[in-house]
């Protein structure tokens, strides 16, 4: 019997072929490009769908430029390993060259552009060649009535050369939704930013450089669909225009100065905000800005302060946050500063139980990280009261990044109470006093087990008998393999007395953990289907 040579009707539908080839592209990452190129040459029906998948997402513009017949490769004469060969033109681009280039560029949906290896974005593919300025100048003058990237949706641009500005403006099309310019220099940025206003009305995600000060009062009014913004310092009027956006869900900005505080407070905005990241010189700028935010949808708040904060500043920040969002809906709360406490430590840098109890109103928290210069006045009772209010907590870190620099009143019993009331905990950072292990020797954890916890950060905690502490930790955390102690401390931070001795004891705890972990695994073997059925049968007979 002669086999049929007719193609199945389903394979004549372009959309089905695109989905099949996209699956091939995802499953076979190493050979995906070669496979798709082979499909383009195999069958006329496969050519267009395979081309769409092959050229849809580019890590760099290099593959596209190398399709131009008049492009040559100039080998690098440098001795450094990072020196890449350069793409240049042998002659002027002809109409045929443009036809080939545009036939491929029309299929590109996303692209990340690099000048050299040192400018690459870590997420995207590494570039294999540098792009010469003669190519950029040639591509900046396309044939009349032609669009270079008519369907481009996403672009990451890192080229800060002036010869690239004109070509970059050609990329700005009405269909563009994602624009990342976070790596370009200030001189190029100030020239490009006015060009974006009217050219990209569909923008949803924008990443701007974090260092230049931007003063364009009504800049964000041009993009009504903007939902995610990363930016450097903004003028007060620009912040107000950002707060009027109807779909803004995520914002990551730097705060340099807020001149017109009264005007900002009188015109609250950001009503749709779900994620807020603030980078400011001090906590006062953060609290001033938070008075303008009023969103019941807020889920995540992060603050980074290079010049530090005080206990009073943190208390005011938490109080304002409680008023400007719906506390039960907040899931992630983080604050980090990089300054030393100064001569006033610990008087102005102690977080009291009253301040910490304010955090109990955030009952939906899953992540809490307070990496500040402050220390804590915290004991087992207060920690238990807080833990009861955080049933969904998955990650908690209280001052372990810099340490408390004084004796903690939290004991191993307090740690046990924390994990008992927070059953979903996976990551813990807590400074404790583990010198005296006032716990039972048979089952130190009292039956409480959290196998998801594999690492523990104890900051500058004191420790007594390493063997007894290891027995306790392995009973509560049977898969614990590492203990992080004293790793981030130093510089101008004040170490606790006998810090070196306690650090060595924690290292001994970490050395003992693997052996204890194996023993705990034997105590609690995994319950398979047969083992489970046996247990149920025993329970029934009993």
């Amino acid at each position: 019997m002669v086999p049929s040579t007719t193609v199945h009707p389903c394979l004549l539908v372009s959309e089905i072929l695109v989905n099949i080839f996209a699956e091939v592209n995802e499953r076979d990452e190493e050979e995906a490009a070669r496979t798709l190129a082979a499909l383009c040459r195999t069958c006329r029906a496969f050519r267009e769908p395979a081309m769409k998948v092959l050229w849809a997402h580019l890590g760099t513009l290099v593959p596209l430029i190398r399709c131009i017949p008049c492009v040559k490769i100039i080998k690098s004469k440098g001795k450094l390993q990072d020196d890449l060969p350069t793409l240049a033109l042998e002659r002027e681009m002809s109409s045929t060259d443009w036809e080939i280039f545009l036939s491929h560029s029309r299929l590109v949906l996303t692209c990340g552009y690099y000048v050299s290896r040192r400018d690459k974005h870590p997420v995207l593919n590494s570039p294999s060649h540098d792009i010469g300025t003669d190519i950029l100048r040639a591509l900046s003058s396309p044939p009349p009535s032609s669009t270079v990237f008519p369907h481009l949706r996403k672009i990451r641009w890192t080229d800060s050369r002036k010869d690239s500005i004109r070509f970059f403006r050609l990329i700005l099309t009405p269909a563009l939704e994602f624009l990342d310019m976070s790596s370009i220099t200030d001189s190029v940025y100030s020239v490009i930013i006015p060009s974006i206003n009217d050219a990209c009305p569909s923008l949803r995600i924008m990443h701007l450089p974090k260092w230049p000060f931007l003063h364009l009062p009504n800049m964000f009014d041009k993009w009504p669909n903007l939902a995610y913004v990363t930016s450097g310092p903004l003028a007060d009027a620009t912040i107000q225009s950002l707060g009027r956006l109807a779909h803004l869900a995520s914002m990551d900005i730097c705060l340099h100065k807020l001149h017109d505080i009264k005007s900002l407070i009188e015109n609250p905005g950001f009503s749709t905000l779900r994620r807020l990241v603030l980078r400011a010189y001090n906590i006062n700028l953060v609290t001033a800005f938070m008075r303008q935010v009023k969103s019941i949808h807020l889920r995540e708040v992060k603050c980074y302060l290079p010049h530090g904060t005080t206990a009073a500043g943190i208390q005011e920040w938490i109080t304002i946050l409680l008023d400007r969002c719906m506390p039960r809906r907040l899931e992630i709360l983080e604050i980090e500063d990089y300054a030393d406490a100064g001569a006033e430590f610990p008087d102005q840098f102690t977080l009291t139980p009253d301040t910490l109890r304010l955090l109990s109103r955030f009952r939906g928290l899953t992540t809490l990280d307070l990496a500040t210069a402050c220390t804590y006045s915290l004991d087992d009772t207060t920690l238990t009261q807080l833990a009861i209010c955080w049933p969904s907590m998955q990650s908690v870190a209280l001052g372990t990044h810099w340490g408390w620099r004084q004796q903690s009143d939290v004991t191993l019993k307090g740690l046990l109470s924390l994990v008992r009331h927070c059953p979903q905990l996976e990551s813990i950072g807590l400074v404790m006093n583990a010198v005296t292990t006032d716990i039972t020797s048979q089952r130190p954890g009292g039956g409480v087990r959290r196998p998801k916890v594999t690492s523990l950060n104890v900051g500058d905690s004191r420790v007594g008998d390493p063997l007894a502490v290891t027995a306790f930790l392995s009973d509560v955390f049977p898969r614990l393999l590492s203990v992080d102690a004293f790793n981030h401390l130093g510089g101008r931070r004040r170490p606790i007395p006998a810090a070196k001795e306690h650090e060595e004891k924690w290292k001994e705890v970490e050395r003992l953990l693997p052996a204890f972990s194996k023993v705990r695994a034997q105590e609690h073997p995994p319950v398979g289907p047969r083992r489970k059925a046996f247990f149920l049968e025993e329970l029934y007979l009993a």
Side-chain angles (χ1 to χ4, degrees):
M1 181 177 179
V2 180
S4 175
T5 57
T6 58
V7 179
H8 194 283
C10 290
L11 297 180
L12 298 177
V13 181
S14 177
E15 289 78 6
I16 294 179
L17 289 176
V18 168
N19 290 333
I20 294 174
F21 297 158
E23 189 69 21
V24 172
N25 189 38
E26 290 189 6
R27 291 191 177 186
D28 190 13
E29 294 182 0
E30 295 183 357
E31 298 293 330
R34 294 182 181 180
T35 303
L36 292 171
L39 287 169
C40 293
R41 299 188 295 266
T42 300
C43 175
R44 291 182 180 179
F46 291 174
R47 176 177 171 77
E48 186 65 19
M51 287 283 285
K52 285 183 178 180
V53 178
L54 180 62
W55 292 98
H57 308 287
L58 297 181
T60 73
L61 286 178
V62 170
L64 193 61
I65 293 175
R66 292 193 65 180
C67 291
I68 304 174
C70 63
V71 170
K72 64 179 180 179
I73 300 176
I74 302 176
K75 293 184 178 180
S76 174
K77 297 181 180 179
K79 297 181 180 180
L80 298 178
Q81 294 182 352
D82 286 345
D83 291 335
L84 301 175
T86 303
L87 299 179
L89 293 177
E90 290 182 330
R91 53 174 171 78
E92 292 186 2
M93 291 182 63
S94 63
S95 58
T96 304
D97 297 330
W98 271 110
E99 184 178 348
I100 294 174
F101 179 80
L102 294 175
S103 66
H104 293 81
S105 66
R106 66 180 176 83
L107 303 172
V108 178
L109 300 179
T110 68
C111 183
Y113 176 82
Y114 311 115
V115 180
S116 64
R117 186 183 301 275
R118 59 182 172 272
D119 293 328
K120 68 181 181 179
H121 192 284
V123 178
L124 302 177
N125 300 327
S126 301
S128 57
H129 299 76
D130 286 341
I131 300 175
T133 55
D134 57 339
I135 293 181
L136 292 176
R137 286 193 292 266
L139 294 178
S140 301
S141 303
S145 68
S146 61
T147 305
V148 180
F149 294 99
H151 304 295
L152 190 65
R153 298 288 187 274
K154 182 177 179 179
I155 180 72
R156 286 186 175 93
W157 190 266
T158 64
D159 193 346
S160 296
R161 296 177 293 181
K162 293 183 178 180
D163 294 305
S164 69
I165 294 177
R166 188 176 175 185
F167 179 62
F168 176 69
R169 286 171 175 165
L170 293 177
I171 295 177
L172 301 175
T173 62
L176 197 66
E177 298 178 357
F178 179 103
L179 178 59
D180 187 348
M181 301 188 302
S182 57
S183 299
I184 63 175
T185 60
D186 189 10
S187 57
V188 176
Y189 171 65
S190 59
V191 176
I192 288 177
I193 197 67
S195 306
I196 308 175
N197 287 349
D198 298 318
C200 309
S202 303
L203 270 180
R204 294 184 59 254
I205 302 174
M206 175 179 282
H207 298 291
L208 302 174
K210 293 184 179 180
W211 51 87
F213 184 78
L214 187 60
H215 182 64
L216 293 174
N218 300 318
M219 168 181 159
F220 293 104
D221 293 341
K222 302 287 185 178
W223 307 303
N225 299 319
L226 204 59
Y228 302 88
V229 175
T230 302
S231 174
L234 303 175
D236 297 346
T238 311
I239 291 177
Q240 288 184 350
S241 69
L242 190 61
R244 292 193 295 266
L245 293 176
H247 303 285
L248 186 64
S250 175
M251 183 172 65
D252 183 341
I253 66 171
C254 300
L255 299 177
H256 179 64
K257 291 181 180 179
L258 296 176
H259 298 282
D260 193 2
I261 298 293
K262 183 178 180 181
S263 176
L264 292 175
I265 297 175
E266 292 176 352
N267 299 280
F270 307 98
S271 59
T272 58
L273 205 60
R274 298 175 62 89
R275 176 178 179 269
L276 176 62
V277 180
L278 298 176
R279 307 173 192 275
Y281 285 145
N282 53 53
I283 194 70
N284 296 331
L285 285 173
V286 172
T287 54
F289 181 85
M290 287 302 303
R291 297 181 189 276
Q292 189 193 6
V293 178
K294 186 67 175 179
S295 175
I296 62 173
H297 307 286
L298 206 56
R299 297 290 188 275
E300 179 180 349
V301 176
K302 296 181 179 180
C303 297
Y304 300 95
L305 311 168
H307 291 272
T309 182
T310 62
I314 291 180
Q315 182 175 7
E316 183 182 9
W317 171 63
I318 297 174
T319 304
I320 294 175
L321 185 59
L322 287 168
D323 180 61
R324 310 313 288 179
C325 73
M326 189 167 287
R328 290 179 176 270
R329 293 187 177 182
L330 193 69
E331 298 175 0
I332 300 175
L333 183 61
E334 298 180 6
I335 184 171
E336 182 174 344
D337 69 47
Y338 311 98
D340 189 35
E344 297 82 8
F345 181 87
D347 297 336
Q348 298 181 18
F349 295 88
T350 300
L351 294 176
T352 64
D354 291 337
T355 300
L356 295 172
R357 288 191 188 98
L358 293 175
L359 297 170
S360 64
R361 294 181 56 185
F362 299 111
R363 294 180 175 268
L365 279 179
T366 60
T367 301
L368 176 64
D369 188 357
L370 303 181
T372 71
C374 295
T375 185
Y376 293 75
S377 176
L378 184 64
D379 56 17
D380 293 347
T381 303
T382 306
L383 183 61
T384 302
Q385 294 172 351
L386 293 172
I388 293 173
C389 300
W390 298 332
S392 303
M393 187 68 75
Q394 299 175 12
S395 175
V396 59
L398 300 179
T400 50
H401 188 79
W402 298 118
W404 289 11
R405 289 147 290 158
Q406 61 180 12
Q407 180 170 321
S408 171
D409 293 328
V410 178
T411 65
L412 292 176
K413 287 186 176 181
L415 175 64
L416 182 62
S417 180
L418 173 67
V419 298
R420 177 183 288 114
H421 295 290
C422 302
Q424 300 183 37
L425 269 178
E426 299 178 7
S427 176
I428 303 174
L430 182 67
V431 176
M432 301 169 291
N433 182 6
V435 174
T436 57
T437 53
D438 186 16
I439 48 180
T440 176
S441 59
Q442 294 181 348
R443 287 302 307 275
V448 178
R449 301 177 76 250
R450 295 294 178 262
K452 290 184 179 181
V453 178
T454 58
S455 63
L456 177 67
N457 191 335
V458 296
D460 54 354
S461 297
R462 290 167 168 80
V463 61
D465 182 7
L467 192 62
V469 172
T470 307
F472 170 84
L473 294 178
S474 63
D475 187 38
V476 180
F477 312 115
R479 296 180 184 174
L480 185 66
L481 296 176
S482 65
V483 176
D484 189 359
F486 294 87
N487 281 348
H488 300 287
L489 309 178
R492 294 182 296 170
R493 305 282 173 171
R494 295 169 177 78
I496 63 171
K500 192 65 178 179
E501 177 185 350
H502 292 291
E503 183 179 1
E504 291 300 325
K505 287 184 177 181
W506 279 117
K507 288 181 179 179
E508 178 65 21
V509 170
E510 190 173 34
R511 283 192 291 268
L512 293 170
L513 276 174
F516 274 80
S517 180
K518 292 180 180 179
V519 173
R520 299 304 182 188
Q522 294 175 356
E523 289 180 350
H524 302 276
V527 181
R530 294 182 180 179
R531 186 77 172 165
K532 187 175 182 180
F534 175 75
F535 285 156
L536 292 175
E537 183 179 358
E538 279 191 334
L539 181 64
Y540 176 76
L541 292 176

